[in-house]
Amino acid sequence: MAMGRSRRRIWALAVRYGLLLVVAAVFVVPLLVMFVGSVKPDLDVLAESNSLKAFRPSQIENNYADAFATSQFGRLLVNSLIVSGSVVVLGTFVNSMAGYALAWVPFKGRRLLLGVVVALVIVPFQAVAIPLLLIASKVQIVDTYVIQILPFIASPFFIYLFYSFFLGLPRELFEASRIDGAGVVRAYTSIALPLIKPAIATSAILSFLAIWGGLFWPVMVTRSVEVRPVTVGLSQVAGTLPTHWGDIMAMSVAISAPILIVFLVFQPAFIRSIASSGLKG
Amino acid sequence: MRLRTPIQGSRLARRPSESGAFALVAPAIALLIGFLVIPFLLAIGLSLTNQRLVSPLPLRYVGLDNYERILADPRFWHALANNVTFAVIVPTAQTVLGLGLALMVNQQLRGISIFRTIYFAPVVMVLAVVSVVWRLLFAQSGMINAGIGAVTGGSFQPNWLHDPTLAFPAVMIMSIWQNVGFPMILLLAGLQAIPGELYEAARVDGANGRQIFVHITLPGLRNTLIFVLTISMITSFQLFDQPYVMTGGGPQDATTTLMLLMVQVGFAEQRIGQASAIAFVFFVLVLALAVIARRFGPRMTEES
C-alpha cells in the first residue's frame, strides 16, 4: 500500500516535470537555433534547420567576424548604445523632475498639468510620427542621433510613474527640507533622487528595451551607417539575397545577448518593470 | 480647500517653490509640447492638406480628400482587417495560454523559478531579432514544417511566409509565442494574491478541482484578465516590427498593417497628408478601445 502510493507520487511528479520541460522547449528552441546558427556556415543554417543537426553544428564558422567586417556591425552597435543610453539618462532626469514637482511642489497650474500628462499617456508615438518626420526633414535633422533621441526623452507614462512613486513617500521628508530652507531643486537632488531607485530602474529598463529594440522610427529617419541602429541593420541584412543566415544569427545574438544577460542578473527588477507596463503586443 | 495662513502661503511656500517648480517641469513641458502636442495637432491639420515630404507644389487645403482616398484604397481595408484579426486572436490566445503557464509555474516544485524565467525570456527579446529567427523556422524546409511532417507524415508542407493565406497566421503564432510571458507573469501575481483560506474552505465543502477553478480562481483573476486583454488589444494596433521583418507586408499585402501602410504612404511614397490621415484614424481606433476598456472594465468587475 505505502509502496503504491509513493510510486504514484513519483509518477505524478515525473508527469509534472515532463510537461514543464516540453513547454520550456517551445521557448528555448528558437533561441538555441539562433545561438547555434551564429557559429555555422551560412548554407548549413537553413539546410540543417529541419533535423537535430540544427542544434549541433557540423562545421564551425565565425560569422561574428564576418558580420562586423562586411556590414559594419560594430558601428551599428555603438549607434544603438549612444541613442538608447542618451534616452535613458536624459529621460530619467527630465521625467523624475517633472514627477517630483507634480507630486510635492505646490505651484499654479499643477492640477491642470497633471491632467494633461494623464491625457497624453493615451497618445501613441505612432500617431505623431508622420508630422514629426516632416518637421525633422524641414529643420534638416533627419539621419542624426538627435532625431532618434529627442522625441523619446519626455514621456507622459514615465512622468506619471514617478509622480505616483513620489506620492507614496512620506510627506514629512519634503516638508522638512522646505523648512530647512533647502531650495526645491536641491531637495530634488539630495532627498528625492536617492529614494526613488526602484522607479528609476523601472523607467530605465523599459525605455532601454524600447529604444534598443525600436525599428519603426529609425526605419524612417536613418539612412547612413554612421547613425543607423542595430535593428535597422539586421532587417536590411535579413532582406538582402542571398540570405546570409549565419551572419544574421550572429547579429541577432550580439543584439540580444546584452539584454538577456542583464535580464538574468536583475530578473526581479526586470519582471516587475515589464509587469507595470503594457510593453509591446 | 486647504487652510493656510497668508504668510505661510505667500512667503514661505509659494515664492521660492514656484520658480523652483518651473525649473523642474520646464524641460518635460517643452519636450512634450514639441514632440507630442504640436505633432499631434499637426497630424490632424496635415491630414486635410496635400502636404508631401518634398514637393514643388504649393500647400493646399483639400478637405476630406485624404480620408476618402484611404477608404477607397484596398490596402487600407487589408491592413484594418489584419489589425482587427490580430487584436482579437493574439491577446485572447495569449491570455488563455498565459493562464495555463501561470498555473504551471505556480506549482510548489523544486526549480520552478527556472521554468518561470525560461517562459518569460522571449518577452525581453528584441522583436526584430525574434522575427528573423522565426523567418528561418517558418522556411519551407525549416524546423516547423519538419515538426509538422513528423506528426502528419509529410502531407502538409506549406511555404508559410509566401502563402497569402498562411503568412499572417504565421505572424500571429510568432507574436503569441513572443509575448505570452507577459500575461503569465501578471496572472501569476494574481493567482498568488487569492487568499489561501478560500481554497481551504472550498475543499472543506467538498468542491472538486474544476469547481474550485471556476468559482474561486477565475473570479479572483477577473481584474487581471480584463487588464491583460485590453492592454494587449490596444498595443496590438501598433503592430509593425514582426510583419516588417518577416514578410515586408506581403505576399500581396496579406500581412500589411495600419502602421506598415502609414510608413509606406508617408515615408516611401512621401505623401504626408494621406499618411497623417491614416495616423489620425489609428489614433481614433486606439482611443475608442481605451475608452471602451475604461467604461466597461471596472463595471464588469463591480457586478461580481
Side-chain angles (χ1 to χ4, degrees), chain A residues 13 16-17 19-21 23-31 33-34 45-47 49-51 54-55 94-95 97-98 100-102 105-108 110-111 113 116-118 120 122-135 137-138 147 150-151 153-156 159 171 178-179 184-185 188 209 212-216 219-223 231 234-235 238-240 243 245 248-249 251-253 255-256 259-260 263-264 267 270-271 274-281, chain B residues 2 4 12-14 16-18 20-25 27-29 31-32 34-40 42-43 46 51-53 86 90 94 101 104-105 107-113 115-130 132-137 139 141-144 146 175 177-182 185-186 227 231-232 234-236 238-242 244-245 259 262-263 266-267 271-273 275-276 279-280 282-283 286-287 290 294:
Chain A
L13 211 59
R16 284 176 179 206
Y17 274 111
L19 195 62
L20 283 165
L21 283 169
V23 174
V26 173
F27 292 101
V28 169
V29 161
L31 305 184
V33 166
M34 171 181 85
V45 178
L46 183 59
S49 76
N50 56 1
S51 67
F55 310 108
V94 167
N95 296 320
M97 272 157 50
Y100 169 75
L102 284 171
V105 188
F107 62 93
K108 221 183 262 169
R110 182 168 71 159
R111 282 270 168 78
L113 187 59
V116 171
V117 167
V118 170
L120 286 177
I122 190 61
V123 181
F125 174 75
Q126 286 86 344
V128 303
I130 293 293
L132 215 49
L133 172 66
L134 180 70
I135 296 173
S137 83
K138 289 262 193 254
I147 192 59
L150 276 185
I153 295 173
S155 145
I159 294 174
R171 191 180 190 113
R178 209 180 295 157
I179 292 160
V184 169
V185 178
Y188 159 79
L209 286 180
W212 180 264
L215 182 64
F216 170 81
V219 157
M220 289 195 278
V221 294
T222 63
R223 248 146 255 175
T231 47
L234 176 70
S235 78
T240 312
T243 316
W245 280 114
I248 291 170
M249 294 303 149
M251 290 170 86
S252 297
V253 171
I255 297 171
S256 336
I259 295 183
L260 281 176
F263 164 60
L264 291 177
Q267 221 197 117
F270 246 77
I271 292 182
I274 292 172
S276 73
S277 81
L279 209 69
K280 50 211 168 186
Chain B
R2 241 176 274 147
R4 236 193 227 141
L12 209 122
R14 265 275 166 77
S17 80
E18 287 264 292
F22 181 74
L24 289 172
V25 294
I29 292 180
L31 287 165
L32 287 179
F35 293 99
L36 207 52
V37 177
I38 290 179
F40 178 71
L42 211 50
L46 288 170
Q51 180 75 53
R52 299 180 59 93
L53 196 55
F86 191 98
V90 174
Q94 261 171 11
L101 294 182
M104 282 174 71
V105 298
Q107 300 175 94
Q108 306 283 335
L109 292 175
R110 192 171 292 191
I112 198 74
S113 65
F115 291 100
R116 217 175 280 167
T117 306
I118 291 173
Y119 300 172
F120 189 76
V123 178
V124 304
M125 293 284 292
V126 171
L127 275 173
V129 167
V130 290
V132 293
V133 173
W134 278 73
R135 229 173 83 179
L136 177 71
L137 301 181
S141 61
M143 191 173 281
I144 287 171
S175 302
W177 171 87
Q178 189 269 330
N179 214 29
V180 70
F182 175 64
I185 224 72
L186 289 182
F227 174 77
I231 207 147
S232 329
I234 291 170
T235 51
S236 70
Q238 301 171 2
L239 180 64
F240 176 82
D241 297 21
Q242 299 96 308
Y244 181 83
V245 175
M259 288 304 100
M262 190 181 84
V263 171
F267 173 66
R271 286 183 283 162
I272 295 289
S276 298
F280 188 65
F282 158 76
F283 172 73
V286 168
L287 183 68
R294 198 163 286 180

